[in-house]
Amino acid sequence: ELPGVSDSSSSDSHQPGEDPRRVVVVPFAVRGSAAVQYLGEGVMELVSSALADAGDVHTVDAGAVLGEVQRRPDADAVALASFFRAPRFIDGTVFEAGGRLRLQAALRIAGTRAVVARGEGEAADETGLFRLVDEAVRQIVTPQPADPGAAPYRTFCGT
């Protein structure tokens, strides 16, 4: 279960008719060489799949999200969340330098873009990507002590 998602009675976190457990994972930004640009959509699909396995979370089908992105290339994460009637979305960035990968992901409230939870990590190369994504998702779905002032990245360094 995602942080901040289980409270279905809180009207400030979702609109009428929205499933409070629905989450849209949007394509990730990629900062790196041309050879790794495919990771934006690839990591989005991996995060969406890992979330679907994480419990009572309803992720929007990655193919449907990609179809909407192709149909409306200027739509941002908030517009996509609204289109799919999801009160939350996950976005992030994949960084590549010297063959190493770094992933930062954030679960956000669609209406305000406020960060509810974050996860990040590093991998020596693309072979560590699956483990890296699984760990970042674990960080996002693992309840943390409440700190109203910050949602710091929790770091995982893979090999």
Side-chain angles (χ1 to χ4, degrees):
E1 191 170 284
L2 292 172
V5 173
S6 63
D7 183 10
S8 60
S9 65
S10 174
S11 63
D12 63 341
S13 62
H14 66 277
Q15 299 298 314
E18 288 180 332
D19 179 348
R21 297 165 296 177
R22 181 174 293 164
V23 176
V24 172
V25 181
V26 300
F28 278 50
V30 178
R31 307 288 181 254
S33 68
V36 297
Q37 293 303 306
Y38 72 95
L39 290 175
E41 293 178 3
V43 167
M44 177 202 82
E45 291 180 34
L46 291 173
V47 168
S48 185
S49 178
L51 277 173
D53 294 339
D56 194 20
V57 177
H58 300 171
T59 56
V60 175
D61 178 73
V65 175
L66 288 175
E68 189 62 16
V69 167
Q70 290 174 356
R71 193 176 75 77
R72 297 187 318 158
D74 294 335
D76 66 1
V78 173
L80 291 169
S82 177
F83 178 81
F84 289 107
R85 302 187 58 77
R88 309 234 178 347
F89 66 89
I90 292 180
D91 64 355
T93 305
V94 178
F95 300 93
E96 181 264 340
R100 292 191 62 81
L101 296 176
R102 180 174 191 82
L103 171 67
Q104 293 180 336
L107 171 66
R108 300 175 187 271
I109 297 172
T112 63
R113 294 183 182 264
V115 174
V116 177
R118 299 179 192 231
E120 79 169 359
E122 293 182 15
D125 55 35
E126 292 175 49
T127 62
L129 187 61
F130 293 103
R131 187 169 157 228
L132 174 59
V133 167
D134 287 345
E135 180 60 23
V137 168
R138 185 196 63 75
Q139 292 172 16
I140 289 171
V141 301
T142 301
Q144 298 296 312
D147 180 359
Y153 279 104
R154 291 163 270 164
T155 304
F156 165 79
C157 293
T159 55

